[in-house]
Amino acid sequence: MTATLYDLSDQYIGALRDYLRGGGETSLRQAYELGRRAMVEGLGVLEITVLYHQALAKALSHTLTATENTRVIQAGETFFLESLAPFEMTHRGFQETNTLLQDSDERYRELFDNASDMVFFTDALGRITAMNPAGERLTGYSSSELPALNLIEMIAPRHARLADEMLQCGTSGSESGNYELDIVAKDGHIVPVEIGSRPILRDGVLMGVQGIARDISETKLAQQALYRLNEALEEEVKRIAHALHDEAGQMLASEDPQKLGKKILPVKDVLFEIEEQLRRLSHELRPTVLDDFGILPALNFLAEGVSKRTGLEIHVESSFEGRLAPAVETTLYRVTQEALNNVHKHARAKNVWIRMQANGEVHGSIRDDGIGFDVNAVCGRCGGMGLGLRGIQERLAAVGGKLVINAVPNQGTTLLVSIPKRAIEKAKNMFNMD
């Protein structure tokens, strides 16, 4: 016997003796505690049985009659069962846990098999170890072909860097973000997907990656259609702006007030003012400075025009390295234009601060000192945010950007604009910029 068994044996014999002498519930609690201790020490039911038989033999050695033997055996059985109670409870707990795990596994398997998105698992080297039916439909590969598949090899070469980044995040143990990239299906056709992944760790060691890939082909088509629509709208705006500037301006300038008599001479100043307003509005509608020189001069031009028209003090601070994609520059101009329009109509502000910075990615803010508003209340109404803010949000979404609104009643409003580097590169490629 081990030292633990010797120690428990003496205690077991003493506890059984106390119980047989009328120890009652106190002795039965001792039996339970001895069983629990044996389990903690790594002993099993067989060892407890050995302890019981030793203690029972010791007790029977002091009996004199058959009646006493029967009483000792019957009472000892109750004591023995109590010492086995911790093992029984643990066994039941394992059974219940196992049942729950089986139920959970069945539910997970049902979700895995019926999910509309591709769900996959890889090992630490990127080899795909499991893929659901949606993944088979998306990629064209069957489950039997999984041992030969590697996630990196399934991703389009131009997105290899993103794939490496995703797996490196897993290696570092941090949560991977969402990645937009292209998967090359078995038949060679390209499927644009958005992948979200997380590392699978065991004792701090990377075992693999779990990921969900969603086919965003329709989203891409809609985004490209929105690009083309915005471009068509901008071309139409440009045409109207030129018409306002050239044709209407020339028509007004061709009128000679001196030939119209003294009664309409006062109209001269009004006509000149209208001409000036038309020219200025046509430039704001689609400034040629935006096409010729870029977003920074265009923002300064816009601020100057809006300031003259509304009385707002507009402060512009921006820094850009080179030119951005035309779609991005147009979006930033339209977002700022709509924001200033909102400030003029609703904010009761005196000052507006515009800050735009671009260094790989774009970050900007448009802040006013107006009356502000309760963002949750406004966005929570039926219909959500107003047309102006919704238009800003939709324009940014068309180029992969985001809008965050910070506003507090009586403390002004700040619009935070961001366009990530990947979205800028995508817009640049879409319009074949060098």
Side-chain angles (χ1 to χ4, degrees):
M1 291 179 108
T2 65
T4 300
L5 273 177
Y6 274 119
D7 187 28
L8 284 175
S9 177
D10 291 339
Q11 294 182 42
Y12 202 97
I13 291 170
L16 178 59
R17 182 179 65 244
D18 292 342
Y19 180 68
L20 294 175
R21 290 175 179 174
E25 289 296 325
T26 301
S27 297
L28 287 178
R29 281 197 297 271
Q30 277 189 291
Y32 178 85
E33 288 299 324
L34 286 170
R36 189 182 64 81
R37 181 182 168 192
M39 188 174 63
V40 171
E41 295 290 345
L43 304 180
V45 173
L46 290 178
E47 285 84 359
I48 283 288
T49 303
V50 170
L51 292 177
Y52 169 68
H53 279 290
Q54 289 177 342
L56 183 63
K58 189 80 171 176
L60 290 173
S61 68
H62 296 290
T63 60
L64 299 176
T65 66
T67 302
E68 289 179 339
N69 287 345
T70 301
R71 185 187 67 81
V72 167
I73 291 172
Q74 289 176 345
E77 183 179 343
T78 301
F79 185 89
F80 176 55
L81 292 175
E82 190 66 23
S83 67
L84 290 178
F87 293 89
E88 173 65 16
M89 293 172 65
T90 301
H91 178 66
R92 288 180 182 177
F94 277 127
Q95 284 184 318
E96 292 173 359
T97 301
N98 189 51
T99 300
L100 290 173
L101 287 174
Q102 288 178 343
D103 291 344
S104 177
D105 184 64
E106 289 176 4
R107 287 195 296 269
Y108 177 79
R109 172 56 60 180
E110 184 177 350
L111 289 172
F112 181 80
D113 289 339
N114 297 327
S116 58
D117 295 331
M118 171 182 173
V119 182
F120 64 91
F121 294 85
T122 76
D123 61 16
L125 298 177
R127 293 174 297 208
I128 298 179
T129 56
M131 185 167 64
N132 68 339
E136 296 180 6
R137 292 191 297 270
L138 184 73
T139 64
Y141 291 100
S142 65
S143 296
S144 62
E145 298 174 284
L146 291 185
L149 290 178
N150 190 293
L151 182 63
I152 298 295
E153 296 170 355
M154 290 177 60
I155 292 173
R158 67 193 187 96
H159 289 147
R161 182 181 59 80
L162 287 178
D164 287 337
E165 181 182 326
M166 181 174 67
L167 291 177
Q168 285 169 8
C169 285
T171 304
S172 66
S174 61
E175 291 289 337
S176 300
N178 288 334
Y179 298 86
E180 283 191 16
L181 40 79
D182 293 337
I183 284 181
V184 182
K186 184 178 180 179
D187 62 6
H189 83 276
I190 301 297
V191 183
V193 296
E194 181 181 64
I195 292 182
S197 64
R198 70 173 186 86
I200 302 172
L201 302 174
R202 184 178 299 166
D203 298 327
V205 178
L206 179 71
M207 304 303 295
V209 171
Q210 175 186 2
I212 298 177
R214 171 167 296 178
D215 185 347
I216 55 173
S217 300
E218 292 185 3
T219 302
K220 289 293 182 183
L221 290 174
Q223 202 171 53
Q224 290 171 3
L226 189 55
Y227 267 123
R228 289 192 290 270
L229 177 59
N230 279 338
E231 286 300 298
L233 288 173
E234 288 299 329
E235 287 299 317
E236 185 64 14
V237 167
K238 188 185 297 185
R239 185 189 66 78
I240 294 172
H242 283 305
L244 279 173
H245 181 273
D246 298 335
E247 297 175 18
Q250 290 175 8
M251 184 171 60
L252 287 172
S254 65
E255 297 294 336
D256 186 356
Q258 293 181 355
K259 295 181 180 179
L260 298 177
K262 293 182 179 181
K263 290 185 179 180
I264 56 174
L265 280 177
V267 178
K268 175 181 179 181
D269 292 337
V270 177
L271 290 176
F272 284 154
E273 178 64 20
I274 292 174
E275 180 183 5
E276 178 61 26
Q277 292 284 346
L278 283 173
R279 290 183 187 277
R280 180 177 50 76
L281 288 173
S282 71
H283 279 297
E284 283 187 25
L285 193 62
R286 178 69 195 192
T288 56
V289 68
L290 178 63
D291 298 322
D292 296 338
F293 300 105
I295 185 63
L296 176 55
L299 289 180
N300 285 321
F301 173 84
L302 176 64
E304 181 181 355
V306 174
S307 182
K308 287 180 179 179
R309 188 172 73 254
T310 64
L312 286 168
E313 288 289 334
I314 303 175
H315 316 273
V316 179
E317 178 185 340
S318 59
S319 62
F320 288 87
E321 295 182 1
R323 296 291 300 270
L324 301 173
V328 175
E329 290 189 338
T330 300
T331 296
L332 293 176
Y333 181 83
R334 294 295 181 219
V335 164
T336 307
Q337 188 179 46
E338 187 59 45
L340 291 176
N341 186 45
N342 279 354
V343 172
H344 172 56
K345 289 195 298 184
H346 307 296
R348 303 179 199 168
K350 295 181 179 179
N351 292 275
V352 182
W353 294 268
I354 300 171
R355 175 176 294 180
M356 292 285 176
Q357 294 180 323
N359 185 9
E361 56 187 22
V362 171
H363 293 283
S365 64
I366 303 160
R367 178 171 63 90
D368 67 65
D369 59 0
I371 60 173
F373 63 95
D374 187 330
V375 177
N376 292 330
V378 171
C379 294
R381 291 176 192 158
C382 182
M385 63 182 67
L387 291 176
L389 291 175
R390 189 183 302 121
I392 291 174
Q393 194 173 54
E394 290 174 353
R395 275 195 173 273
L396 285 169
V399 293
K402 292 183 179 180
L403 171 68
V404 176
I405 305 170
N406 292 331
V408 177
N410 302 315
Q411 294 185 32
T413 300
T414 301
L415 304 185
L416 298 176
V417 173
S418 63
I419 305 176
K421 184 176 181 180
R422 287 198 293 269
I424 294 174
E425 288 297 322
K426 189 186 303 180
K428 182 178 179 180
N429 293 334
M430 182 168 290
F431 292 96
N432 298 318
M433 288 185 64
D434 295 328

